[in-house]
Amino acid sequence: MGKKAKLPTGLYRRGEVFWLRWTPVPEGAQVRQSLGTSVLVEAIQEAERIKRTDGPVMRAEAGECSAEIDRYVAYGLAAGLAGATMESRRYVLKGFVEELGALTPRHIGALGCERWFAARMEKHAHTAVSYLNQVRWWFAWLMERGVVVRDPTAGIKVPKLKMRHRKVFLLPAEARRLIDECPEDDRDLKFALYCGLHAGMRKLEIIEARPEWFDLEAGLIHVQATPTFEPKGRDNRTIPMTEEFKGWMLKEFPPRAPFVLHPEVGHGKYRYRYDFRKAFEGLVGRCGLECTFHDLRRTFASLLVSKGVSIFKVAKWLGDTLKVVQDTYGHLIPQDDEINASWSR
């Protein structure tokens, strides 16, 4: 008796009729469909038709782009990348696919990517290149898994950008002006300014801050993981409060729950559940300054180092490595008079 012919992958018999067993959405649920025929050749043809025509529709209905982004973030976390890093990538990628109107990675074409990149370049060239790199990392991961066969951004030429010559920290008088000129009725913005300038906190940390982080009696801020937030590097840290910051909170801004800033606002589809960017930019403009909110964190560190506070302490308060702080702020260490030792008489 001859050997029974092996059926193509995914095909099987149930009674007299052939069926197809397949997974239209990568890592999604398995689907079983009747091919409606007992003839093998016809079954093979029908299976190919289903995969060719029904597959893209089913993947689109499953919102494959969103699902693939979620899988990518989960992969990065499992590989040991920081939660803040992966959430930042999720934010960039979701904005990317939403702007292109793509439901699946296969719907993303080179022309759409070029237009997206050009639009970013018009606003901020360095940010555009950073976003493009993040999109390319995602496509490299998709290609490794066989979800796409090519990277539609591969043809985009990245221009050589000049080094950014911008002020990365404020002078003491400029920092003071921001706090003093903050509108009295915008205590939320003033709280954010104090967190940045007096505690070196990151924007996301400020927005996610919980009341239990602030021990006003001891004068300490404990930045720690919560159900909606994970510190960068996955390290909780404690920052001593300045007398000014502590006094202002005791008098003007007792911590609220569940979030210190706008507790009534929950999480949505964006990275920040609440964003004070417009209020901050308006204040900066009125003060005649040019800075980003992250520059307040740099100001916190630079002022401390320039006053002789140890690099080790500043690194602990920032939640950065000693090397990062040394490389970034080491040139601000006060003048060392020992430079004159070899020429003294």
Side-chain angles (χ1 to χ4, degrees):
M1 183 177 290
K3 196 172 183 180
K4 189 174 181 180
K6 185 178 180 181
L7 294 175
T9 302
L11 263 64
Y12 67 98
R13 274 185 178 275
R14 181 185 291 178
E16 295 297 320
V17 179
F18 284 103
W19 283 65
L20 172 65
R21 178 176 55 241
W22 66 308
T23 307
V25 179
E27 298 183 26
Q30 191 178 79
V31 175
R32 297 170 185 263
Q33 291 177 251
S34 172
L35 299 174
T37 180
S38 59
V39 179
L40 179 58
V41 174
E42 294 177 356
I44 293 173
Q45 292 174 343
E46 178 64 8
E48 290 301 318
R49 185 198 67 78
I50 288 174
K51 291 179 181 179
R52 185 175 61 254
T53 60
D54 294 4
V57 174
M58 296 173 77
R59 284 190 289 274
E61 290 175 349
E64 189 181 345
C65 266
S66 178
E68 289 293 0
I69 292 171
D70 290 342
R71 293 186 190 104
Y72 176 63
V73 170
Y75 162 81
L77 294 174
L81 294 177
T85 298
M86 295 313 299
E87 284 306 314
S88 176
R89 292 187 187 183
R90 186 203 301 274
Y91 172 79
V92 171
L93 293 173
K94 286 204 168 184
F96 168 70
V97 299
E98 285 176 9
E99 186 166 330
L100 268 62
L103 292 173
T104 81
R106 297 174 187 81
H107 285 136
I108 299 173
L111 183 59
C113 291
E114 289 172 3
R115 289 173 176 168
W116 168 82
F117 181 67
R120 303 280 82 67
M121 286 291 293
E122 289 180 2
K123 294 179 179 179
H124 198 293
H126 287 87
T127 300
V129 173
S130 173
Y131 280 17
L132 177 63
N133 286 333
Q134 294 184 57
V135 169
R136 284 177 167 173
W137 295 334
W138 182 51
F139 274 111
W141 178 78
L142 291 171
M143 290 169 65
E144 285 180 6
R145 295 172 55 246
V147 177
V148 297
V149 296
R150 60 182 180 82
D151 177 358
T153 71
I156 296 177
K157 294 183 178 179
V158 179
K160 187 174 182 180
L161 302 178
K162 295 181 179 179
M163 289 184 65
R164 286 182 279 192
H165 297 286
R166 69 178 180 85
K167 197 172 187 178
V168 295
F169 57 87
L170 302 176
L171 296 175
E174 295 171 329
R176 169 52 55 195
R177 194 187 317 160
L178 278 180
I179 291 178
D180 289 346
E181 296 193 18
C182 182
E184 288 298 324
D185 59 351
D186 196 346
R187 292 185 299 168
D188 290 290
L189 178 58
K190 198 162 192 175
F191 169 75
L193 295 174
Y194 269 122
C195 285
L197 289 169
H198 282 240
M201 293 172 64
R202 300 177 177 91
K203 183 175 180 178
L204 185 60
E205 294 172 345
I206 298 168
I207 292 169
E208 292 290 327
R210 304 278 182 151
E212 58 269 23
W213 289 13
F214 294 84
D215 184 346
L216 296 181
E217 183 177 345
L220 298 172
I221 304 171
H222 305 288
V223 179
Q224 52 194 312
T226 72
T228 60
F229 168 77
E230 184 178 87
K232 188 174 182 179
R234 303 183 182 181
D235 290 328
N236 296 337
R237 72 184 192 278
T238 296
I239 311 163
M241 297 184 75
T242 63
E243 290 297 324
E244 180 181 334
F245 187 11
K246 183 177 73 170
W248 179 79
M249 285 197 70
L250 285 169
K251 182 181 177 181
E252 303 285 347
F253 201 73
R256 299 168 290 182
F259 301 101
V260 180
L261 272 185
H262 283 275
E264 78 284 358
V265 180
H267 287 85
K269 63 180 181 178
Y270 297 107
R271 183 187 186 194
Y272 300 121
R273 61 173 189 84
Y274 159 76
D275 199 342
F276 48 78
R277 178 178 59 83
K278 288 185 178 179
F280 174 74
E281 290 177 349
L283 174 63
V284 168
R286 291 193 300 274
C287 290
L289 302 174
E290 291 185 13
C291 67
T292 67
F293 189 81
H294 196 74
D295 289 336
L296 305 195
R297 173 176 162 86
R298 297 188 181 101
T299 298
F300 166 81
S302 63
L303 293 181
L304 287 170
V305 173
S306 66
K307 291 296 184 180
V309 178
S310 77
I311 292 282
F312 177 79
K313 283 185 178 180
V314 175
K316 283 291 185 183
W317 296 339
L318 287 174
D320 281 336
T321 66
L322 190 61
K323 184 179 185 308
V324 166
V325 177
Q326 177 69 53
D327 291 347
T328 308
Y329 305 102
H331 65 288
L332 297 172
I333 294 173
Q335 175 69 39
D336 192 337
D337 289 336
E338 290 185 2
I339 191 69
N340 297 306
S342 62
W343 298 98
S344 59
R345 297 190 181 191

